[in-house]
Amino acid sequence: MGPGGPDLLTRMPWFRQLAPAHPDGWLVADRSGDPLAFSESYAFCLPTGGYVGHQNKSIYHFPLTALNLETGVDNSLLLHVPFKGELPRPKTNYSEGQSADGKQVAYSQHHAAGKDSNISVADVETAKSVKVTEHTGEQHYTVNDFSPDGKHLLITSDAANGYSNVGLLDIATKKIDWLTHDKWEIDGRHFTPDGRSVLWEANVDGNTDIYVHNLTTGKTHSLPLPKGVNSPGGAATAFSHDGNRMLYYHNGPNAPNDLWIYETTSYSNRAPDMATGKSIPVTHSLVAGVKSDDMVEPQLVHYPSRDGKWQISAFVYVPYNIPRNAKNPAIVYVHGGPTSQTVNSFNRIVQYMVNQGYLVIAPNYRGSTGYGKEFQEANFKDMGGGDLQDTLAAADWIQKTGYVDPKKLIIMGASYGGYMSMMAVTKAPEIWAAGVPIVPFVNWFTEIENEDPSLQQWDLATMGDPKKEEDKALLHDRSPIFFVDKIKAPLFLLAGGHDPRCPKSEAQQVADAIKKNGGEADLKIYENEGHGFARVENQIDAYRRVAEFLKAKVPPQDCSCAVEP
């Protein structure tokens, strides 16, 4: 954000077209001409009078563009890197930051399979870029921020030990000074305005805290923030100009994402102390009348995978006042991705179902992020295999708590979680009393054929190619559509009418096939939605329909745990 600072948000923005070369791109600016956003994708202002943004003309290939706002000169070749390899254009560019003088741009280039990436630094005037993370083998490198003097980059990489850690990269020498050596997911964020310290966030088993590291003393402190998922805010920086205040987001199990300000302790004779301070809430996102005390805080549990290779992490939600009498229903809630993670944040549908009297266990199966490179890649070319067994092991675990009736188990999930739900009811049909697949895909062959190009490249690299004979058997075995005759539980499927990832036809063919076999399948399609439901009215309608379906098929005990309207 430019000279106007945060008060720009109170002004009426005006629009102007960028240049003839970008007829579809619009710049949002304040009256000083400082750009705030670029509609094609992402942009930031250069102090030299231009912008850099993703030129999203090809869904799976993002060349970066530099544009001089005064002359309209479009330096489109700035970061337009030619690709090589057996897959067509299998890489994507992401611009992550600029030097303070606006002369350099740092960007990351990621392979479609998600196994390898690099960092390069480009000169804006000459359009020449230099790779600064040359390496052998498969490693991830992501750039986070430029140092104020433009000599160093704050980066995140798994090159040190196979887990995401934070390092300081010297641009001239290309050497990395590792600041963390942990076996969790650590992500670099920002330099402080004076350049003396850096921020990173550490995701430790689903809880994320913010840390400040003093580059001079080498000391690291965790900021005293509420438990949950905390992340620095802001685009270019999270700090005020004087470094005394930091913007951050807090997302906890009992409240949605809110904006907070962390105020450091100030001293007259020395720099502000980031290690001590206080947090001030700026927003309150819970809808009026909904109390945070009515939300259930989950318990973090661990259990061994069925094959003994992994310890699986899961969050368990237990409704208030529920009797431990082995008569209650439980939902195994499967996250999407699969490169994602269930974390200790607010989950609307989970909280709604818990308040209806259902226990919920949400596992982080192999393939999830947050537990290192090896764990994340453990389901490559095995999706619907080992990760499904980890999900079934969650059902095993929840039955041992003494709360759950083994005949009242429910499988539910969205996107890849919807796919896993379909795999569960076809590969282990005897376990489930009901299933709720949300925006699922059920056929790897049609999925890969019809999905958008960027997702197609990822699926080809991580699961296989339907055109290759050696991949066909696996893709068939992991496509639930071919095994719908095995389903015993009633299903309630939900889909979006304009879903580019998992078209409504995927859910429709499942419902039709089940009914043809004499089974029970209800289907609700939201014609004005895509992959997931963005409209609040549709979310409310979907949650209510799911609750009504489950209460009819797998009713909870009357534990007086519902929130009164």
Side-chain angles (χ1 to χ4, degrees):
M1 192 168 287
D7 62 327
L8 291 177
L9 298 176
T10 64
R11 305 179 189 177
M12 179 65 71
W14 57 272
F15 301 83
R16 69 184 177 88
Q17 202 167 10
L18 286 172
H22 296 272
D24 298 321
W26 291 83
L27 194 68
V28 185
D30 75 312
R31 296 186 185 281
S32 70
D34 186 53
L36 302 179
F38 183 52
S39 69
E40 283 189 355
S41 179
Y42 165 78
F44 55 79
C45 180
L46 293 171
T48 51
Y51 90 96
V52 172
H54 296 146
Q55 190 179 7
N56 189 2
K57 292 185 177 179
S58 171
I59 277 179
Y60 55 94
H61 175 221
F62 298 100
L64 300 178
T65 299
L67 177 70
N68 188 305
L69 295 179
E70 293 183 358
T71 65
V73 174
D74 180 0
N75 193 355
S76 297
L77 296 180
L78 172 64
L79 306 177
H80 190 112
V81 182
F83 298 121
K84 297 178 181 180
E86 63 174 6
L87 298 177
R89 293 183 172 182
K91 299 181 182 179
T92 303
N93 295 326
Y94 293 100
S95 175
E96 303 291 349
Q98 56 167 321
S99 59
D101 58 12
K103 295 181 179 180
Q104 298 181 95
V105 172
Y107 68 100
S108 305
Q109 187 179 86
H110 299 255
H111 193 279
K115 288 190 172 186
D116 192 73
S117 60
N118 264 300
I119 296 172
S120 295
V121 176
D123 184 284
V124 174
E125 292 299 323
T126 65
K128 293 181 178 179
S129 62
V130 177
K131 188 181 294 183
V132 293
T133 54
E134 291 282 2
H135 63 274
T136 58
E138 295 175 333
Q139 298 172 356
H140 296 98
Y141 292 88
T142 302
V143 59
N144 304 120
D145 198 12
F146 262 99
S147 62
D149 62 9
K151 296 180 180 180
H152 295 86
L153 294 175
L154 184 66
I155 70 166
T156 300
S157 174
D158 58 15
N161 64 354
Y163 293 81
S164 292
N165 278 285
V166 175
L168 201 63
L169 187 150
D170 187 306
I171 297 175
T173 66
K174 302 181 183 180
K175 292 184 177 180
I176 300 172
D177 177 18
W178 294 105
L179 305 180
T180 67
H181 301 272
D182 292 296
K183 291 188 176 182
W184 291 107
E185 190 173 85
I186 318 296
D187 288 306
R189 294 307 300 267
H190 302 290
F191 281 89
T192 55
D194 60 12
R196 296 176 180 175
S197 300
V198 294
L199 284 184
W200 63 70
E201 58 187 57
N203 171 2
V204 178
D205 227 354
N207 283 282
T208 301
D209 291 315
I210 300 174
Y211 290 77
V212 57
H213 175 82
N214 188 300
L215 294 172
T216 302
T217 66
K219 293 183 178 180
T220 304
H221 298 280
S222 173
L223 299 186
L225 307 179
K227 272 298 178 185
V229 177
N230 298 291
S231 179
T237 181
F239 291 98
S240 58
H241 290 299
D242 59 8
N244 288 329
R245 291 179 295 171
M246 181 193 75
L247 193 68
Y248 76 94
Y249 294 99
H250 170 70
N251 192 335
N254 57 359
N257 205 31
D258 273 310
L259 195 61
W260 292 61
I261 290 176
Y262 180 79
E263 289 192 344
T264 63
T265 302
S266 300
Y267 301 93
S268 58
N269 59 345
R270 59 187 175 94
D273 184 5
M274 282 290 296
T276 61
K278 61 180 180 179
S279 291
I280 302 171
V282 178
T283 62
H284 185 73
S285 299
L286 270 179
V287 177
V290 178
K291 300 177 181 179
S292 60
D293 290 342
D294 291 328
M295 304 298 110
V296 172
E297 293 200 21
Q299 302 171 34
L300 181 64
V301 303
H302 301 89
Y303 59 86
S305 61
R306 284 183 166 184
D307 59 10
K309 292 181 178 180
W310 307 101
Q311 275 290 109
I312 306 301
S313 169
F315 282 100
V316 176
Y317 299 76
V318 180
Y320 293 124
N321 304 320
I322 198 167
R324 196 167 191 167
N325 59 6
K327 295 182 179 180
N328 300 285
I331 298 170
V332 178
Y333 187 82
V334 193
H335 71 69
T339 50
S340 183
Q341 182 186 12
T342 293
V343 296
N344 192 21
S345 62
F346 192 76
N347 189 312
R348 291 172 177 83
I349 191 168
V350 167
Q351 290 290 350
Y352 184 68
M353 297 313 301
V354 172
N355 271 279
Q356 304 300 311
Y358 294 87
L359 284 87
V360 174
I361 182 169
N364 284 310
Y365 49 83
R366 70 189 73 186
S368 301
T369 56
Y371 304 94
K373 180 182 173 69
E374 186 180 0
F375 187 83
Q376 183 177 327
E377 296 177 358
N379 68 344
F380 276 27
K381 298 296 180 76
D382 186 40
M383 294 181 189
D387 51 7
L388 175 62
Q389 294 302 313
D390 297 342
T391 301
L392 298 179
D396 297 338
W397 189 94
I398 199 71
Q399 293 179 64
K400 298 175 183 178
T401 62
Y403 286 104
V404 177
D405 184 343
K407 296 180 181 179
K408 291 185 176 181
L409 291 175
I410 301 155
I411 187 76
M412 181 189 301
S415 188
Y416 189 82
Y419 162 73
M420 289 279 280
S421 298
M422 287 301 306
M423 285 296 294
V425 296
T426 54
K427 295 295 186 177
E430 69 285 349
I431 294 177
W432 310 105
V436 184
I438 304 170
V439 294
F441 71 91
V442 295
N443 187 330
W444 280 105
F445 296 91
T446 56
E447 171 77 3
I448 293 173
E449 179 182 359
N450 298 324
E451 64 189 336
D452 84 33
S454 62
L455 297 169
Q456 184 183 73
Q457 296 305 312
W458 192 86
D459 284 340
L460 289 171
T462 59
M463 193 55 184
D465 189 342
K467 296 179 180 179
K468 293 182 178 180
E469 200 63 37
E470 63 268 25
D471 291 338
K472 287 182 178 180
L474 175 65
L475 295 172
H476 182 275
D477 181 66
R478 304 299 166 80
S479 295
I481 190 61
F482 301 119
F483 306 97
V484 292
D485 60 315
K486 304 293 185 183
I487 297 174
K488 296 180 179 180
L491 300 187
F492 180 40
L493 299 105
L494 297 95
H498 299 281
D499 191 338
R501 172 60 161 153
C502 305
K504 62 181 180 181
S505 57
E506 295 273 309
Q508 184 70 63
Q509 60 181 313
V510 170
D512 292 344
I514 291 175
K515 291 177 181 178
K516 185 177 179 180
N517 291 330
E520 186 177 351
D522 294 331
L523 172 63
K524 173 60 181 176
I525 299 174
Y526 293 91
E527 293 293 350
N528 59 349
E529 293 284 8
H531 190 59
F533 309 140
R535 291 168 173 80
V536 173
E537 63 271 21
N538 289 340
Q539 293 177 19
I540 294 172
D541 183 72
Y543 299 166
R544 285 178 174 169
R545 288 176 182 269
V546 170
E548 290 170 0
F549 169 79
L550 291 181
K551 286 179 179 179
K553 304 301 178 184
V554 196
Q557 281 200 299
D558 182 13
C559 61
S560 302
C561 46
V563 176
E564 296 297 328

